[in-house]
């Protein structure tokens, strides 16, 4: 007989791990106990050594579906062994070193129960078990026990308590377990506060009434798992337009929720990987190619066709069997963002809904999602016609995650529900990483905590320019610091002095002193270096690995020379970088205004390349020239010459805007960040991209101050000629994508002649563009170069905090 203490670390609390331990321990005839504590799960097992060995092996093979084992350590138990049986003991409070599980979509068994008239969970919207349900969204403290969650307000009834304590039941120690008798309740309200009478609907209950309201064209604010959503029938243009007008969201595409895959397949053809994502416990929004094109006849009835007309995609229905989506659901897009129901509440609402519903974040424009009933009544009362509310508090705001599949690989666009805060294992060399807090960026913010060889990224926080979002960012940061009892040893911030995250990081450093009275050190991290390091870290690149060539293309980031970068080729490891090449800097006329009005970038590109009078003479009949002539060009020229609010930037994001405006996409203004580039990507036809005859836009390479500059002068000459020849808009869009990919790869080929380059990192928000990402990746691989791309964190600024954190840690550890 031997007795061991077995420590299991990872995502092992609130996921049915202890019942699995109990079941296996009994099967192998062991005595002892298992409990949760601040480090994860602690097992004390007594029995013959062979049985304990087999028990540990089996435990790792039969890990519960939502659990993740990162480490198992075993040692001889030095205490007094008086075990007579194997039991599950109460949780023990200790220093927090465990993980918080993310929220998980409804499992098949719980879904079956809510539709089973003989089940006591029939039509209960908060049904859950150890395999599904709320986690991060309801937790207030660790260990993850009921009294540390918002379920503490609901005492279990006798039946629920019996199942909670039944180790053979899948609800054993499921902290949010509840039923109709003892659990949270949902109810319907009118936004005008008038009473709802039963004769208004044919309904089973308030939740079923929501389906009827949606079918009648009403807008309903629905309190869900991590926040409120605004929903309406996606096939009713009047309802969708009403939602856009009330929410003041004029252009940005809406996310959609469908009852099941069959409904989605009426509008898209999801790949196997996309189906897997839709049906996974993470249940993200998946961007899927909409039906349309030459193969329509093979795809059945009711498909969506996208036709080029006035630079916009028009949606039309070819048969009557399936209602078409409202044109204003996703204007200018060739993809649709679909998700499946991920709570029992959603499943019950959509039971009778045979087509998609718009399911967008319940917030005012540019503000975070509402999570509180009174807050929702106040802020959404003029948007929604009705509210579906419930009385289970949302402790942590968690928005929907967004992903897309590129070349059969997952590309994360927004990391939130279902993924956060699952830790990311850091590469070799970071095992003894210092406690670094990384503050993230200004836009698409996340923050990051490093500890014990892992990176804990927050859920997507949003754009900190909004006062409400910045407050939410601070509240969530404080919550994480308290949950993990985290005391940073260093704080990493972006170089940009005006980022709110940068300023807050400096304040925190001053407030949090070390035991010796010294302030916490601040490390300033260059924006694009952080992008590259984030991709290196998630791809497992060793801390002391030789430099990679990182290509970071985005909107902008503060360079170490005080200028704005955005089209960078950096030879980088975790500690250092060298700028080898960049795109020719061009003025951002009006500063931030250039991010909202693409025509400003077109004019800046043209005036930096051509003499304006010669340009007018040669291309006077072009619509873009006529448009620009209506602008105050004299004033704009003065701004550029005197460098008044017109900083130079190498941004490829702004180059995309310039080309889009030139060919008539979002020429006057963008309704949301990246709109012009996204619509131009949608417009580009991949079959044209494969036609090498159309690859005739070239870029010049110029060396200045020992750095290559990619000059777009010949590209603009050819593009203006195409406009003059009335080349179709979609052909020009496709040629630009292909030509840019060719120029990037040609630059890499030039750089590797003088530098030892075997691996290339592709990062930055521009590489959310699937056409560009695929083209560049394939061309680089054809040169025998290993290409690293993003999967776990976004290539946009949502992944920046990971890069900041690992750079800071590597520098501190050197």
């Amino acid at each position: 007989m031997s007795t061991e203490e077995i420590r299991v670390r990872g995502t092992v609390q609130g996921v049915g791990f202890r019942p699995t331990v109990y079941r296996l321990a009994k099967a192998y005839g062991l005595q002892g106990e298992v409990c949760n504590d601040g480090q994860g799960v602690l097992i004390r097992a007594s029995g013959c050594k062979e049985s304990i060995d087999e028990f540990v092996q089996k435990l790792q093979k039969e890990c519960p579906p939502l659990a993740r084992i990162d480490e198992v350590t075993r040692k001889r138990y030095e205490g007094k062994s008086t075990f007579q049986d194997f039991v599950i003991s109460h949780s023990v409070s200790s220093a927090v070193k465990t993980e918080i599980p993310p929220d998980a979509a409804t499992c098949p068994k719980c879904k079956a129960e809510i539709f089973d008239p003989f089940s006591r969970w029939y039509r209960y919207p908060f049904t859950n078990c150890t395999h599904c349900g709320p986690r991060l969204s309801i937790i207030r403290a660790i260990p993850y026990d009921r009294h540390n969650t918002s379920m503490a307000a609901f005492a279990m009834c006798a039946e629920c308590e019996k199942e909670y304590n039944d180790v053979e039941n899948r609800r054993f120690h499921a902290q949010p377990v509840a039923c109709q008798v003892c659990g949270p309740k949902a109810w319907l309200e009118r936004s005008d506060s008038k009473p709802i009478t039963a004769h208004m609907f044919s309904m089973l209950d308030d939740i079923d009434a929501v389906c009827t309201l949606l079918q009648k064209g009403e807008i309903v604010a629905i309190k869900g798992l991590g926040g409120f959503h605004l929903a309406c029938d996606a096939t009713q243009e009047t309802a969708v337009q009403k939602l856009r007008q009330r929410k003041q969201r004029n252009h940005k595409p809406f996310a959609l929720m469908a009852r099941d895959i069959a409904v989605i397949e009426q509008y898209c053809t999801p790949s196997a990987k996309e189906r897997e994502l839709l049906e996974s416990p993470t249940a993200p929004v998946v961007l899927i190619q909409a039906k349309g094109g030459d193969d329509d006849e093979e795809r059945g009835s009711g498909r969506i066709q996208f036709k080029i007309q006035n630079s916009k995609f028009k949606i039309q229905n070819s048969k009557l069997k399936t209602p078409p989506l409202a044109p204003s659901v996703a204007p200018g897009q060739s993809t649709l963002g679909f998700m499946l129901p991920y709570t029992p509440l959603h499943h019950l609402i959509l039971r009778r809904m045979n087509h998609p519903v718009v399911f967008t974040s319940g917030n005012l424009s540019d503000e975070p999602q509402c999570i509180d009933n009174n807050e929702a009544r106040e802020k959404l009362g003029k948007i929604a016609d009705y509210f579906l509310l419930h009385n289970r508090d949302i402790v942590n705001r968690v928005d929907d995650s967004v992903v897309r599949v590129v070349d059969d690989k997952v590309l994360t666009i927004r990391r939130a529900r279902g993924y956060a805060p699952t830790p990311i294992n850091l590469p070799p060399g970071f095992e003894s990483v210092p406690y670094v807090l990384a503050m993230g960026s200004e836009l698409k913010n996340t923050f990051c905590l490093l500890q014990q060889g892992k990176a804990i990224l927050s859920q997507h926080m949003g754009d900190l320019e909004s006062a409400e979002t910045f407050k939410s960012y601070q509240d969530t940061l404080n919550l994480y610091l308290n949950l993990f009892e985290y005391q940073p040893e260093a704080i990493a911030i972006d170089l940009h002095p005006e980022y709110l995250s940068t300023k807050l990081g400096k304040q925190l450093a001053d407030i949090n002193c070390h035991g010796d009275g010294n302030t916490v050190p601040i490390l300033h991290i260059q924006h694009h270096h952080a992008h590259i390091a984030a991709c290196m870290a998630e791809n497992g690149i060793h801390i002391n690995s030789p430099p990679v060539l990182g290509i970071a293309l985005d909107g902008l980031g503060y360079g170490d020379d005080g200028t704005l970068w955005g089209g960078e080729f950096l030879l980088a490891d975790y500690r250092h970088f060298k700028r080898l090449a960049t795109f020719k800097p061009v003025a951002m006329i009006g500063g931030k205004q250039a991010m909202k009005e693409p025509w400003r970038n077109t004019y800046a590109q043209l005036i930096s390349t051509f003499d304006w009078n010669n340009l007018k003479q040669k291309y006077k009949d072009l619509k873009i020239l006529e448009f620009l002539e209506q602008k105050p060009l004299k004033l704009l020229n003065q701004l550029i010459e005197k460098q008044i609010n017109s900083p130079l930037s190498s941004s490829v994001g702004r180059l995309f805007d310039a080309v889009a405006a030139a060919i008539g996409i979002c020429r006057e203004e963008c309704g949301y960040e990246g709109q012009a580039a996204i619509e131009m990507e949608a417009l580009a036809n991949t079959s044209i991209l494969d036609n090498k005859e159309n690859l005739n836009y070239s870029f010049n390479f110029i060396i200045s101050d020992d750095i290559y500059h990619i000059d777009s002068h010949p590209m603009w000459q050819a593009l203006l000629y195409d406009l003059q020849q009335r080349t179709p808009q979609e052909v020009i869009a496709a040629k630009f994508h292909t030509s840019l990919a060719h120029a990037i790869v040609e630059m890499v080929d030039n750089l590797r002649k003088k530098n030892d380059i075997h691996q290339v990192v592709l990062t930055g928000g521009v590489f959310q563009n699937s056409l560009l990402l695929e083209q560049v990746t394939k061309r680089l691989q054809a040169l025998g170069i290993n290409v690293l791309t993003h999967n776990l964190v976004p290539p946009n600024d949502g992944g920046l905090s990971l890069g900041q954190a690992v750079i800071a840690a590597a520098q501190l550890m050197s």
Side-chain angles (χ1 to χ4, degrees):
M1 289 283 288
S2 66
T3 303
E4 291 190 20
E5 188 169 277
I6 304 165
R7 161 69 60 195
V8 186
R9 294 184 176 90
T11 306
V12 290
Q13 292 189 14
V15 291
F17 196 83
R18 286 177 299 169
T20 301
V21 170
Y22 174 89
R23 177 175 55 80
L24 292 175
K26 298 288 279 186
Y28 285 98
L30 304 178
Q31 288 84 45
E33 64 179 351
V34 57
C35 68
N36 284 342
D37 65 7
Q39 298 189 52
V41 166
L42 181 63
I43 305 166
R44 296 186 178 103
S46 182
C48 68
K49 190 175 185 310
E50 292 76 13
S51 295
I52 296 176
D53 290 343
E54 291 177 17
F55 160 76
V56 172
Q57 292 173 12
K58 195 75 168 178
L59 182 61
Q60 294 179 81
K61 290 180 180 178
E62 296 191 6
C63 189
L66 299 183
R68 186 186 77 174
I69 297 175
D70 290 333
E71 181 185 29
V72 177
T73 59
R74 299 168 61 179
K75 67 178 183 179
R76 183 176 175 181
Y77 179 56
E78 300 297 341
K80 191 174 181 180
S81 179
T82 58
F83 304 120
Q84 302 299 318
D85 198 354
F86 198 91
V87 297
I88 297 178
S89 300
H90 293 295
S91 297
V92 177
S93 295
S94 62
V96 175
K97 296 180 181 178
T98 190
E99 300 172 8
I100 299 173
D103 301 292
T106 308
C107 71
K109 290 183 178 179
C110 283
K111 180 183 173 184
E113 286 171 339
I114 64 172
F115 291 119
D116 180 1
F118 299 102
S119 167
R120 70 187 194 90
W121 289 278
Y122 177 58
R123 298 197 59 79
Y124 184 56
F126 305 101
T127 301
N128 65 86
C129 69
T130 54
H131 300 157
C132 66
R135 300 292 192 277
L136 172 64
S137 60
I138 63 170
I139 194 169
R140 291 193 169 98
I142 290 177
Y144 174 68
D145 286 331
R146 193 181 183 95
H147 67 272
N148 287 330
T149 74
S150 57
M151 284 301 296
F154 303 95
M156 284 183 281
C157 66
E159 285 292 320
C160 284
E161 191 165 14
K162 180 181 177 183
E163 296 200 343
Y164 179 87
N165 290 313
D166 180 2
V167 74
E168 300 295 337
N169 193 290
R170 79 175 195 280
R171 290 189 170 89
F172 177 76
H173 282 216
Q175 304 306 330
V177 69
C179 69
Q180 304 273 13
V181 175
C182 63
K185 302 288 190 292
W187 66 91
L188 191 65
E189 290 182 6
R190 287 173 58 129
S191 60
D192 59 11
S193 300
K194 292 180 180 178
I196 295 175
T197 54
H199 73 272
M200 293 174 65
F201 317 108
S202 171
M203 58 185 183
L204 292 170
D205 50 34
D206 280 9
I207 297 171
D208 191 53
V210 172
C211 183
T212 301
L213 289 169
L214 295 174
Q215 291 168 338
K216 289 184 174 183
E218 305 285 9
I219 298 171
V220 184
I222 299 170
K223 185 179 183 182
L225 191 65
F228 276 79
H229 288 86
L230 291 163
C232 70
D233 188 335
T235 66
Q236 296 188 38
E237 175 65 8
T238 302
V240 178
Q241 281 286 6
K242 181 170 65 172
L243 177 55
R244 284 203 177 278
Q245 291 163 7
R246 291 181 181 179
K247 197 181 178 188
Q248 299 176 25
R249 179 169 165 167
N250 297 324
H251 305 287
K252 196 172 184 179
F254 282 135
L256 300 168
M257 181 177 279
R259 182 188 62 207
D260 50 36
I261 289 283
V263 173
I264 294 176
E265 288 177 333
Q266 295 171 8
Y267 302 91
C268 302
T269 307
S271 66
K273 177 68 73 175
E274 289 164 342
R275 290 175 65 104
E276 178 186 330
L277 287 163
L278 287 164
E279 296 176 325
S280 70
T282 54
V285 176
V286 183
L287 302 181
I288 311 173
Q289 191 70 31
K291 284 187 175 180
D294 295 334
D295 58 345
D296 273 357
E297 290 305 316
E298 298 178 9
R299 288 176 166 171
S301 62
R303 56 221 171 254
I304 302 169
Q305 293 179 320
F306 292 86
K307 294 197 171 182
I308 310 297
Q309 180 179 340
N310 299 327
S311 306
K312 299 289 182 181
F313 287 105
K314 302 296 182 182
I315 299 175
Q316 69 177 35
N317 188 34
S318 58
K319 295 185 182 180
L320 299 177
K321 290 183 181 179
T322 300
L325 288 182
S328 57
V329 163
Q333 309 295 307
S334 60
T335 58
L336 296 170
F338 267 108
M339 60 182 146
L340 291 175
Y342 55 85
T343 72
L345 186 78
H346 300 146
H347 284 290
L348 292 168
I349 290 170
L350 296 183
R351 181 182 64 93
R352 296 187 289 108
M353 184 66 75
N354 296 322
H355 43 263
V357 297
V358 167
F359 214 71
T360 188
S361 297
N363 59 341
L364 297 176
S365 184
D366 298 324
E367 289 192 5
Q369 258 184 312
C370 293
I371 60 174
D372 176 76
N373 290 349
N374 289 331
E375 176 195 23
R377 291 184 184 107
E378 177 187 348
K379 293 187 174 182
L380 306 182
K382 293 183 179 179
I383 301 176
D385 302 304
Y386 290 83
F387 288 92
L388 182 65
L389 305 174
H390 62 72
N391 59 346
R392 185 180 69 199
D393 288 346
I394 298 172
V395 179
N396 300 309
R397 179 181 289 105
V398 191
D399 211 337
D400 296 315
S401 294
V402 181
V403 302
R404 74 186 306 177
V405 176
V406 179
D407 196 21
D408 207 38
K409 296 178 181 176
V410 178
L411 179 68
T412 301
I413 306 298
R414 183 168 73 197
R415 187 177 185 269
R417 176 187 52 75
Y419 295 98
T422 302
I424 294 169
N425 290 325
L426 295 177
F430 285 97
E431 291 84 359
S432 300
V433 67
Y435 278 40
V436 175
L437 166 63
M439 303 300 290
S441 187
E442 187 83 348
L443 303 179
K444 297 180 175 64
N445 178 276
T446 62
F447 57 83
C448 179
L449 285 62
L450 294 192
Q451 63 176 18
Q452 300 167 331
K454 295 182 176 61
I456 302 169
L457 259 71
S458 74
Q459 64 270 36
H460 166 82
M461 301 307 304
D463 298 347
L464 302 188
E465 294 172 330
S466 159
E468 290 290 331
T469 303
F470 185 53
K471 181 180 182 302
S472 174
Y473 166 70
Q474 294 176 81
D475 291 343
T476 307
L477 176 57
N478 284 330
L479 181 80
Y480 271 65
L481 294 177
N482 290 327
L483 279 176
F484 292 101
E485 297 176 1
Y486 195 85
Q487 183 64 45
E489 298 173 36
I491 297 176
I493 58 175
D494 191 271
L495 276 180
H496 201 302
E498 295 304 313
Y499 278 2
L500 291 174
S501 56
T502 295
K503 293 179 178 179
L504 181 61
K506 292 178 179 178
Q507 292 173 15
L508 290 175
D510 290 337
I511 295 170
N512 294 276
C513 294
H514 288 312
D516 57 9
N518 293 322
T519 58
V520 174
I522 284 279
L523 290 92
H524 297 78
I525 310 298
Q526 200 281 321
H527 191 92
H528 301 94
H529 187 200
H531 271 308
I532 294 163
C535 190
M536 291 169 63
E538 72 160 284
N539 280 281
I541 301 299
H542 192 282
I543 191 172
N544 294 321
S545 176
V548 301
L549 178 64
I551 305 175
L553 312 181
D554 62 2
L556 61 85
Y558 208 73
D560 63 2
D561 60 357
T563 65
L564 299 178
W565 296 3
E568 309 310 313
F569 294 72
L570 307 181
L571 191 65
D573 57 25
Y574 288 111
R575 297 181 179 93
H576 311 97
F577 71 89
K578 181 181 179 182
R579 195 184 194 195
L580 300 183
T582 186
F583 280 73
K584 175 187 170 185
V586 174
M588 284 179 58
I589 307 173
K592 285 187 177 181
Q593 205 61 27
M595 299 166 67
K596 301 175 182 177
E597 298 177 351
W599 64 267
R600 292 174 179 266
N601 302 291
T602 311
Y603 182 68
Q605 288 279 343
L606 294 177
I607 202 68
S608 73
T609 303
F610 304 99
D611 175 80
W612 187 252
N613 289 325
N614 291 341
L615 202 65
K616 284 194 297 181
Q617 288 182 354
K618 190 170 184 180
Y619 301 107
K620 61 183 178 181
D621 294 331
L622 292 186
K623 289 183 180 179
I624 182 60
L625 269 292
E626 294 175 0
F627 176 89
L628 292 174
E629 277 292 302
Q630 303 304 311
K631 300 298 179 181
L633 300 186
K634 186 176 180 180
L635 173 61
L636 298 180
N637 291 336
Q638 290 177 347
L639 293 176
I640 296 172
E641 291 167 11
K642 297 180 179 180
Q643 298 180 355
I644 300 172
N645 197 26
S646 298
L648 292 176
S649 172
S650 57
S651 169
V652 174
R654 301 290 77 80
L655 177 61
F656 265 88
D657 285 350
V659 172
I663 66 176
I665 299 173
C666 302
R667 181 171 286 162
E668 184 69 60
E669 64 178 354
C670 285
Y672 58 92
E673 185 197 6
Q675 181 185 359
I678 291 168
E679 292 194 9
M680 187 161 65
E681 177 193 354
L683 192 63
N685 186 309
T686 54
S687 65
I688 296 174
L689 290 173
D690 292 332
N691 185 347
K692 294 185 180 180
E693 292 179 6
N694 288 288
L695 184 70
N696 61 349
Y697 296 164
S698 59
F699 292 79
N700 285 336
F701 295 167
I702 302 168
I703 297 180
S704 176
D705 298 325
D706 294 325
I707 296 174
Y708 276 101
H709 286 74
I710 300 177
D711 181 12
S712 59
H713 174 83
M715 184 277 295
W716 282 108
Q717 282 184 312
L719 190 148
L720 292 173
Y721 176 79
D722 272 354
L723 286 174
Q724 198 173 50
Q725 297 301 307
R726 301 184 186 226
T727 302
Q729 193 185 39
E730 64 272 21
V731 174
I732 297 177
K735 288 168 71 173
F736 172 70
H737 277 81
T738 306
S739 303
L740 180 61
H742 179 79
I744 291 168
V745 174
E746 188 178 353
M747 176 58 74
V748 173
D749 206 22
N750 278 350
L751 293 175
R752 70 175 183 158
K753 293 173 184 175
K754 296 182 179 180
N755 300 275
D756 188 18
I757 296 170
H758 301 285
Q759 295 194 102
V760 171
V761 164
L762 303 181
T763 186
V766 168
F767 280 115
Q768 291 175 166
N769 184 311
S770 64
L771 295 182
L772 185 67
L773 181 60
E774 286 180 343
Q775 288 280 313
V776 174
T777 299
K778 289 176 181 177
R779 291 170 184 269
L780 288 173
Q781 288 172 341
L783 295 177
I785 295 172
N786 184 37
V787 180
L788 305 178
T789 58
H790 286 275
N791 168 245
L792 300 177
V793 302
N796 60 46
D797 284 3
L800 200 75
S801 62
L802 173 61
Q804 291 174 342
V806 293
I807 290 171
Q811 291 177 354
L812 291 169
M813 296 168 72
S814 61

